[in-house]
Amino acid sequence: GAVVSQHPSWVICKSGTSVKIECRSLDFQATTMFWYRQFPKQSLMLMATSNEGSKATYEQGVEKDKFLINHASLTLSTLTVTSAHPEDSSFYICSARPAGVEEKLFFGSGTQLSVL
Amino acid sequence: AQTVTQSQPEMSVQEAETVTLSCTYDTSESDYYLFWYKQPPSRQMILVIRQEAYKQQNATENRFSVNFQKAAKSFSLKISDSQLGDAAMYFCAYSPLGSGATNKLIFGTGTLLAVQP
């Protein structure tokens, strides 16, 4: 099956620093990638949708200047949490949809971010 | 706006028994996809089963089957012969048809399933 690699799996950083999370589709091209955030024992909340070569579409309430998303190629999307604060600590999950296959979505293994 | 509701925060089942997880959704679309995802303690999202709304036949995958009631906007998951490895958080999800930014997956709040030996 299709594989989505998300890196790093966990990261600890100091307040005020920036953290970049990568999401790669290893064996397929992904025209669309999604970024989710999950708090403990809660559901996945969609943050933004990124399409290759264009600006990301952010969900209401998500600060685009704080959560920078780049989808520079058909196999890579990155989420950068800028000037991180303790309230940004969360589990971040990416997912990728193969080009031309609208009903399938593959998930990365997630990144646990802890901001001290 | 589309919404997905799971009214059972937690469920418990005896090993080898059958359990049904409930899900309702709201949409004005006529064609869409519905999913059940499993999230074990590793937190990796695993697709359990998928249903296309235009198909009247309920989807099945081995021990997992759904009861899709389109008019009632209900999409329940039945797990037969429950196994210890089925213990996980289960999320119901909805996705409209089409591609791009509009084709996003909307999740319910989840049901935590415990399997008792």
Side-chain angles (χ1 to χ4, degrees):
Chain A
V3 177
V4 174
S5 173
Q6 186 172 341
H7 178 80
S9 56
W10 60 270
V11 58
I12 302 172
C13 70
K14 293 182 179 179
S15 253
T17 60
S18 295
V19 173
K20 180 184 284 187
I21 303 170
E22 292 188 349
C23 181
R24 292 181 184 272
S25 55
L26 296 184
D27 50 3
F28 65 95
Q29 293 185 330
T31 50
T32 305
M33 289 187 174
F34 302 90
W35 287 95
Y36 290 86
R37 183 174 183 178
Q38 185 180 31
F39 290 107
K41 297 185 179 181
Q42 293 189 22
S43 187
L44 280 72
M45 300 302 298
L46 181 66
M47 299 175 65
T49 303
S50 73
N51 290 297
E52 186 266 338
S54 62
K55 290 184 178 180
T57 301
Y58 289 82
E59 295 299 302
Q60 193 172 10
V62 178
E63 299 175 59
K64 61 180 181 180
D65 293 330
K66 180 167 189 59
F67 299 99
L68 301 179
I69 292 173
N70 184 283
H71 194 160
S73 77
L74 286 172
T75 59
L76 174 64
S77 176
T78 60
L79 167 67
T80 301
V81 183
T82 62
S83 186
H85 289 278
E87 57 265 32
D88 298 325
S89 298
S90 185
F91 189 65
Y92 295 86
I93 308 177
C94 72
S95 64
R97 171 174 290 116
V101 186
E102 63 181 17
E103 74 276 15
K104 292 191 177 181
L105 198 63
F106 300 98
F107 285 84
S109 53
T111 297
Q112 177 64 51
L113 170 63
S114 297
V115 184
L116 303 178
Chain B
Q2 296 95 351
T3 58
V4 180
T5 302
Q6 293 178 250
S7 59
Q8 306 155 316
E10 296 183 11
M11 291 283 284
S12 182
V13 63
Q14 290 291 131
E15 199 175 2
E17 296 295 310
T18 296
V19 64
T20 298
L21 308 184
S22 301
C23 173
T24 59
Y25 59 95
D26 187 28
T27 182
S28 58
E29 303 292 327
S30 58
D31 287 330
Y32 44 86
Y33 296 106
L34 294 166
F35 306 84
W36 279 98
Y37 279 90
K38 170 184 176 181
Q39 188 180 42
S42 68
R43 295 195 284 189
Q44 173 72 55
M45 296 293 287
I46 301 168
L47 176 65
V48 175
I49 202 164
R50 177 178 62 237
Q51 174 83 42
E52 292 90 344
Y54 58 88
K55 290 185 178 179
Q56 292 187 344
Q57 186 174 8
N58 289 325
T60 62
E61 286 289 343
N62 301 313
R63 298 183 294 108
F64 299 87
S65 62
V66 298
N67 183 3
F68 174 47
Q69 301 291 327
K70 191 173 184 180
K73 296 181 182 175
S74 170
F75 183 61
S76 60
L77 174 70
K78 185 172 80 171
I79 306 174
S80 304
D81 186 25
S82 297
Q83 301 175 359
L84 295 178
D86 295 334
M89 180 72 86
Y90 286 81
F91 292 102
C92 178
Y94 163 97
S95 174
L97 263 62
S99 59
T102 58
N103 194 0
K104 55 190 180 186
L105 206 56
I106 300 168
F107 287 92
T109 49
T111 297
L112 182 61
L113 177 66
V115 180
Q116 307 298 330

